[in-house]
Amino acid sequence: MAASARGSVWEIQPRDVEAAGLAAADAAAFLAALRSAAAAAGSGATRDAVWAAVAAAGVLRPEHPHALHQLVYYSAYAGWDRDARGPPPYWFPSPIDCKQTNLGRLMEANGPKLLGSSYKDPISSLSHFYRFSVENQEAYWSMVLKQLAVNFKQEPRSILSTSDRSKKGGTWLQGAVLNIAECCLLPCPSLKRTDDSTAIIWRDEGLDDYPVNHMSLKELRTQVITVAHALDAMFEKGDRIAIDMPMTCNAVIIYLAIILGGFVVVSIADSFAPQEIGSRMGVSKAKAIFTQDFIVRGGKKVPLYSRVVQGTSSKAVVIPAIGDSLGIMLRNGDMSWKDFLSRAAGRSSSYSPVYQSLDALTNILFSSGTTGEPKAIPWTQLSPIRCASDTWAHLDVRPCDIGCWPTNLGWVMGPIIIYSCFLTGATLALYHGSPLGRDFCKFVQDAGVTVLGSVPSLVKSWKAGNCAEGLDWTKIRVLGTTGEASDIDDNLWLTSRASYKPIVECCGGTELASSYIQGSLLRPQVFGAFSGASMSTGFVILDEQGTPYPDDVPCTGEVGLFPLYFGASDRLLNADHDKVYFDGMPIYKGRQLRRHGDVIQRTVGGYYIVQGRADDTMNLGGIKTSSVEIERVCNRADECLLETATVSIKPSGGGPEHLAILAVLKDRSAQYDVNLLKRKFQTAIQKNLNPLFKVSYVKVVPEFPRTASNKLLRRVLRDQLAQELSNRSKL
């Protein structure tokens, strides 16, 4: 079909508009406005030009039924040739507004000097500036550091040193000394942040008709100092202290206080079973753990302290989820939040932070690898600078913004959203409750959130419950999503609720403290794909022989990251870092590439789509886990089982991966109720691993495909199962 959009939106009839949910009295006026907007694109306009004109005209409004948004969007792109033109864009940068973005301002101020006559404007020169950032990292990071609230006690002698070849990632900000938590807590004139600036906005679940709460920067700093004094009274500098609780104001205060005082945070997700809590406490050698008595979700109290007690014998400091009194009896040796804070009584209202070098450990996070044991990934003081710079450049977080990203300190997005707000001068918005329903969506409205992050499963829940109906999300100017593959129609719903604001897709890793590919407000955005590499991040796509494909050529293969990566890990606490991230990777331009593990597709037009993992790691609901980890639990689910194999299946229409479990029985001739087996697997996973993992499909097979060395071929199983489910869907 020709590129012209004639025969698409012009074919929409009043009956189609009415069928999409618009009242008959409004259908004619809507259709007239739609055709007028489309005609403004000009005679013979391409489909993307027509959609751009319709979206810019505001014909489609947030209060319109989703079916109407679907009708117009899919009609506008009917016949679009993805193979020839790449994925269709839904959002387009403004030539005027682009110069007011963080990256646009940086480019306007420095582009002519750095790029010479090749610099035109932030949109057309983005690719040139990106290449400059990769090839001239010292110059790029010198500029970006000045945009953040990073206060060095001792300035770095250099931005990047590559003289020590044993450090494959280079040495960054050599000689610098600071305390990154202090940077989050001090006024910053360049960001117009004062003691009176609002640092945190929050609301407790169940109080959704009450005004939101505000905490000033001074109030936040005062509370952090109190906790830091109490920590000093109980622990030695450098001790590792865990946090296993929802991401509340108290959790953020504790997080910053631990780092301000020269201790190390151990991040543990509040959804973990006791065994997982225990393994992380053991690997990290944590001396104590902060937790809550319960987690309040949807009006229900879910036990948390009891899981902590089962998982570790380390001292627990327990915070009441509701009110000032605990709803449980404490184990001997544990203490209440009130008693803990009393340790700071009589201490000074000021505090002397512990200043350390850039490579000092501040946070231990965990990522599951293919061995089943969680990798303990240390974050240094470099990691927060990297993640804040990414959100500054790509999500365009500014001092006037209010950022909200429902997550947990046990996952990488918890620390990322803290630093992304506090190091850019933005306000952090926290909802103390479940983010799945309308109450959270109302909080987004009432808090005036301008940058809203999510994961696709959350968006799916909001859409299914029509949770944003009647709410005003028009203050949102940027949306973000990470953790798993996005569903195109879910994202259409999401952007339409915010008057077609851009959704910045992000894909990275805990060990990178950042995303290596993500969206940009200086490029058209498409659903379910990434518009380019992160600033200063270089990578190639490798074929099956490990040879890089030419740049900008459509292809599919494993990612090989350039090793000089600001903020990336250079060690693991319980594994060989070089073996995990470098062994077996090819040499490119004189340096060994860094392994990430993703297989990605580069499309026509230069967009990227993640195809899955090169190893057997799965991404379930935004949580990376390994096949081995789940199989270990499932193998014990029933006495009749000989072995199990787990794979994740990516739905043909996009969206989060589905967990499939295949089983071989001890008695190959026996008959077994697959539904009963599915329930047993689900129970075992919820009890012993993670209640967030949902079993979607179970199949009993006579045997598994294996290599000559008896290695299980999960990739073959994945392909066979995907084909079987695809055929079933067609039937």
Side-chain angles (χ1 to χ4, degrees), residues 419-439:
Y419 291 120
S420 294
C421 288
F422 294 156
L423 293 182
T424 62
T427 297
L428 174 64
L430 299 171
Y431 184 71
H432 298 176
S434 171
L436 293 172
R438 182 176 175 82
D439 292 343

Side-chain angles (χ1 to χ4, degrees), residues 230-388:
L231 290 169
D232 283 345
M234 293 179 59
F235 302 102
E236 299 293 327
K237 298 297 186 184
D239 280 352
R240 299 169 181 183
I241 303 168
I243 301 175
D244 183 0
M245 59 186 291
M247 192 160 166
T248 62
C249 290
N250 280 331
V252 173
I253 290 165
I254 294 165
Y255 183 91
L256 292 173
I258 291 173
I259 297 170
L260 188 74
F263 309 98
V264 179
V265 175
V266 176
S267 295
I268 300 178
D270 63 6
S271 60
F272 278 135
Q275 296 93 323
E276 296 299 305
I277 297 172
S279 69
R280 284 155 177 79
M281 291 290 288
V283 167
S284 66
K285 298 181 173 59
K287 294 289 183 66
I289 184 168
F290 284 87
T291 189
Q292 285 186 179
D293 50 1
F294 299 99
I295 300 172
V296 178
R297 287 287 186 269
K300 298 180 180 178
K301 294 199 298 185
V302 179
L304 178 57
Y305 173 67
S306 60
R307 277 188 277 135
V308 169
V309 168
Q310 292 177 57
T312 180
S313 59
S314 297
K315 176 184 284 291
V317 178
V318 189
I319 302 166
I322 302 173
D324 298 323
S325 301
L326 293 173
I328 41 85
M329 293 291 292
L330 292 182
R331 175 182 60 180
N332 287 338
D334 293 342
M335 65 192 311
S336 70
W337 177 239
K338 182 178 180 180
D339 287 343
F340 168 78
L341 292 178
S342 70
R343 298 296 183 97
R347 300 287 185 115
S348 169
S349 60
S350 62
Y351 190 83
S352 297
V354 175
Y355 298 105
Q356 302 184 87
S357 63
L358 249 292
D359 61 357
L361 183 61
T362 62
N363 194 176
I364 299 171
L365 297 108
F366 295 89
S367 176
S368 182
T370 57
T371 63
E373 182 182 28
K375 295 195 297 289
I377 299 172
W379 265 31
T380 67
Q381 299 199 91
L382 201 63
S383 311
I385 300 173
R386 175 63 198 231
C387 66

Side-chain angles (χ1 to χ4, degrees), residues 546-620:
T547 303
Y549 287 102
D551 290 343
D552 302 327
V553 172
C555 57
T556 299
E558 183 177 352
V559 171
L561 297 173
F562 290 8
L564 298 179
Y565 195 119
F566 187 107
S569 64
D570 61 4
R571 57 195 137 144
L572 294 170
L573 300 187
N574 61 339
D576 186 324
H577 189 272
D578 274 6
K579 184 176 181 180
V580 171
Y581 295 115
F582 287 97
D583 278 9
M585 293 298 286
I587 303 296
Y588 182 75
K589 294 186 176 181
R591 291 189 176 275
Q592 189 173 24
L593 294 171
R594 179 181 176 121
R595 178 181 294 106
H596 179 66
D598 281 349
V599 172
I600 66 172
Q601 174 194 5
R602 182 164 52 222
T603 72
V604 172
Y607 293 89
Y608 296 94
I609 300 173
V610 176
Q611 299 294 312
R613 300 289 294 174
D615 52 24
D616 289 317
T617 299
M618 293 181 284
N619 190 328
L620 303 175

Side-chain angles (χ1 to χ4, degrees), residues 638-656:
D638 194 289
E639 286 293 324
C640 74
L641 295 169
L642 177 66
E643 60 178 340
T644 61
T646 61
V647 296
S648 60
I649 304 297
K650 190 173 183 179
S652 58

Side-chain angles (χ1 to χ4, degrees), residues 16 155 205 213 237 248 293 351 385 389 417 437 445 453 481 537-539 596 624 633-634 657 691-692 708 730:
D16 301 320
E155 293 286 335
E205 183 179 275
N213 303 286
K237 298 297 186 184
T248 62
D293 50 1
Y351 190 83
I385 300 173
S389 69
I417 190 61
Q445 168 193 270
T481 183
T537 302
F539 68 85
H596 179 66
K624 291 179 181 177
V633 171
C634 290
E657 297 174 16
L692 301 180
K730 292 175 183 176

